[in-house]
Amino acid sequence: MKIRMFLFAIAAAAVVACGQTPEEKVKAYEEAHDAMMQEYTQMMDSLATDQAKAEEFYNDFVERYIEFNLDAAKKNADNDVAVQVLMNLRGLIDDEQVDQIISKMPEAMLENEQVAYLKSNLDARKATAEGMMFTDFTVEHVYGYDRSVDPQPLKKEVKFSDYVGKGKYVLVDFWASWCGPCKGEIPNLIELQNKFGGDKFMVLGVNVWDDEAAFKAALEEEGITYPQIVVPQNNKDNATELYGIQGIPQIILFGPDGTIVKRDLRGQAMKDLVEEKMK
């Protein structure tokens, strides 16, 4: 372990050697990064038959990998190393850490397509964080009116605000038929709808990134009875972008006035929160 940490320190130092051009800094970072990934591959291969040790190494590696990248970004805020760090750490760091990296970038770097995308998602999540009022969107049609909790509007155009901010808690599930983890949460959502659905609570599905036929089939296969808003791929309002959603399921509880109570809800924690609000 000490040898690996020593090598890690050398690699990190190489990324910011004095007198390097921006291009040389990027090259040094890429070489150090590749060395770490080579170490990871070799070690995981060697530990293939020892799951406990493989898991221990993996956890140690991820910690070092994040530390290495954050240090590289801190020392290279003005060049493309910081951009590569953002890409490499997607899903491994939280919004505050992403914001710290982006906030130190010069204005010109914010025009990078990947950085602009991440910043847009980050800004959207800030605007739809806990305690913020919901962001409305409109779709051209609504599905599920013949199997929904009454009342549900029979109209070709539907707004998110037709459901949210109407005096009841609304548990909103952004999902798709092809998403395994999404399907894993559906029994929990059905349970909550059956138990609490009424004047004070409802579940609402928002189907995204999906095929229409597959979506309709999933409603039948999964036994979904709560209302569904389908967001077409070419919809004028992109619901996932408005809420900074990069992965699904994304389940959000909205309060009676439309205030966002909690994001990233799953499983028992989701059920416990709804139970608490229904007391």
Side-chain angles (χ1 to χ4, degrees):
M1 183 68 69
K2 291 182 178 180
I3 294 175
R4 288 208 305 271
M5 293 300 291
F6 176 68
L7 293 175
F8 163 57
I10 293 176
V15 177
V16 289
C18 296
Q20 287 181 319
T21 65
E23 292 77 13
E24 289 171 336
K25 290 180 180 179
V26 170
K27 183 179 179 181
Y29 167 79
E30 290 175 343
E31 289 176 350
H33 179 270
D34 290 348
M36 288 194 76
M37 296 311 298
Q38 184 177 9
E39 174 205 343
Y40 173 79
T41 300
Q42 291 174 345
M43 287 296 294
M44 290 300 284
D45 286 345
S46 70
L47 297 173
T49 59
D50 192 330
Q51 184 175 352
K53 287 186 177 180
E55 184 175 347
E56 181 182 359
F57 170 75
Y58 172 81
N59 292 333
D60 169 64
F61 178 84
V62 170
E63 184 177 338
R64 291 189 292 121
Y65 184 76
I66 292 173
E67 181 185 349
F68 160 72
N69 276 282
L70 290 178
D71 185 64
K74 182 178 180 181
K75 296 173 180 176
N76 291 276
D78 61 346
N79 63 68
D80 284 344
V81 168
V83 178
Q84 291 197 35
V85 166
L86 282 175
M87 298 303 105
N88 289 332
L89 291 184
R90 286 184 65 176
L92 293 177
I93 56 176
D94 58 31
D95 283 350
E96 183 177 352
Q97 291 170 307
V98 173
D99 196 19
Q100 288 175 353
I101 295 173
I102 292 178
S103 66
K104 292 180 172 60
M105 290 181 168
E107 196 69 28
M109 286 180 64
L110 299 181
E111 297 177 6
N112 177 283
E113 183 177 354
Q114 294 172 314
V115 174
Y117 172 76
L118 289 175
K119 186 176 187 304
S120 175
N121 273 272
L122 180 64
D123 291 343
R125 285 193 294 278
K126 287 180 180 179
T128 57
E130 294 170 17
M132 303 295 287
M133 186 59 64
F134 78 99
T135 298
D136 204 6
F137 60 86
T138 304
V139 297
E140 294 178 353
H141 53 261
V142 62
Y143 285 94
Y145 57 82
D146 61 348
R147 56 173 67 86
S148 299
V149 176
D150 293 329
Q152 175 159 333
L154 304 179
K155 53 187 178 182
K156 292 182 179 179
E157 184 176 88
V158 64
K159 295 179 180 294
F160 194 49
S161 54
D162 290 333
Y163 299 93
V164 175
K166 297 295 186 181
K168 64 174 67 176
Y169 284 94
V170 185
L171 187 63
V172 180
D173 175 33
F174 292 84
W175 74 291
S177 63
W178 48 262
C179 169
C182 296
K183 289 185 175 181
E185 293 299 329
I186 289 173
N188 294 325
L189 297 169
I190 291 174
E191 177 185 339
L192 290 170
Q193 177 62 36
N194 290 342
K195 186 173 183 179
F196 298 113
D199 294 339
K200 295 183 179 180
F201 174 82
M202 70 174 291
V203 175
L204 172 68
V206 179
N207 183 257
V208 297
W209 309 332
D210 212 346
D211 172 77
E212 183 176 323
F215 159 73
K216 289 182 176 180
L219 290 181
E220 300 291 345
E221 293 168 2
E222 303 296 330
I224 296 173
T225 57
Y226 44 83
Q228 297 288 321
I229 294 177
V230 177
V231 182
Q233 299 280 357
N234 60 349
N235 202 66
K236 61 182 179 181
D237 285 342
N238 190 322
T240 52
E241 289 184 3
L242 289 172
Y243 281 83
I245 296 171
Q246 295 179 293
I248 52 177
Q250 173 59 248
I251 305 176
I252 306 174
L253 181 63
F254 295 82
D257 64 348
T259 300
I260 296 170
V261 177
K262 188 74 174 177
R263 292 181 59 128
D264 302 311
L265 287 166
R266 300 283 285 273
Q268 190 59 48
M270 173 176 68
K271 292 195 285 187
D272 289 345
L273 179 61
V274 173
E275 291 262 6
E276 177 188 332
K277 297 300 180 182
M278 292 299 100
K279 289 180 180 178

